[in-house]
Amino acid sequence: MGDQQLKAWFDAIDVDHSGRLDSKELQRALAMGNLHYGLNDVDQMVRAFDVDNSRSLGFAEFSRLHYFLVNVQNSFQTFDRDRSGRLTPDEVAQALQQAGFQLDGPAMMAMISKFDPDNSASLSLDEYIRSCLFLQTAARTFGAFDPQRTGQVHLSFNQFVYAASHVCG
């Protein structure tokens, strides 16, 4: 989808003509693209790509979310080698490694467990999107506490609560 097409779609789903999409407008737009998420999940998407903390997305923020979702779907299709519609832990690890995330085994399994509500030890596309969104938000939040990019942070309890409230949906 080209930028002009994406802008036309954005304008069409901006039902209040505010120039911004709130969570409900985005939820309807995702459903049109056959991605069905609860309002909490959609709000998490908004918060992950909302750079001005308005709890809504302007076109530039919406565009970044759109390309993120396209890339995640493409990654899912690439690494779902057996075309089962699910990614095994090994496939998730490979996909995330290609995306630049280096998680150790226990962290990877904890994340998969968090986003695997049916306990199948694999992730569907929706579950994989949620996990990638979680990692995107976690990386952004972690980065706020690691300005020198050392890969380690030291947090007070208040900072931890602040960070956790931005990562957990």
Side-chain angles (χ1 to χ4, degrees):
M1 180 179 293
D3 285 345
Q4 287 181 328
Q5 240 182 333
L6 190 60
K7 177 68 168 124
W9 187 39
F10 176 88
D11 291 339
I13 58 180
D14 180 17
V15 294
D16 64 2
H17 306 292
S18 65
R20 304 196 65 78
L21 299 180
D22 64 22
S23 293
K24 289 181 182 178
E25 289 171 318
L26 182 59
Q27 185 181 37
R28 283 191 296 274
L30 291 169
M32 284 190 257
N34 206 26
L35 293 172
H36 302 281
Y37 291 99
L39 203 51
N40 283 343
D41 290 328
V42 176
D43 185 57
Q44 188 74 15
M45 288 180 193
V46 168
R47 288 190 294 158
F49 288 88
D50 172 23
V51 296
D52 61 4
N53 295 318
S54 64
R55 294 294 287 266
S56 62
L57 301 177
F59 177 69
E61 295 161 324
F62 172 75
S63 181
R64 282 191 291 281
L65 171 61
H66 170 75
Y67 289 112
F68 169 81
L69 291 172
V70 167
N71 287 335
V72 170
Q73 288 175 311
N74 289 341
S75 171
F76 184 90
Q77 291 170 352
T78 298
F79 287 95
D80 181 19
R81 292 188 178 95
D82 64 0
R83 301 293 177 239
S84 65
R86 302 193 70 81
L87 295 182
T88 65
D90 284 343
E91 291 168 333
V92 171
Q94 292 169 11
L96 293 179
Q97 191 169 27
Q98 181 183 0
F101 292 103
Q102 304 294 324
L103 299 178
D104 64 19
M108 177 69 66
M109 293 313 296
M111 189 203 64
I112 289 172
S113 178
K114 176 179 174 59
F115 295 100
D116 180 22
D118 61 359
N119 239 3
S120 65
S122 63
L123 298 180
S124 68
L125 175 60
D126 285 351
E127 294 163 352
Y128 181 64
I129 289 172
R130 285 183 186 96
S131 71
C132 289
L133 185 62
F134 166 79
L135 285 173
Q136 171 95 0
T137 306
R140 183 173 155 194
T141 303
F142 188 88
F145 292 95
D146 185 21
Q148 272 71 46
R149 304 271 187 240
T150 64
Q152 295 187 359
V153 297
H154 300 280
L155 302 175
S156 70
F157 183 70
N158 286 330
Q159 290 172 317
F160 174 77
V161 169
Y162 176 86
S165 70
H166 282 80
V167 174
C168 302

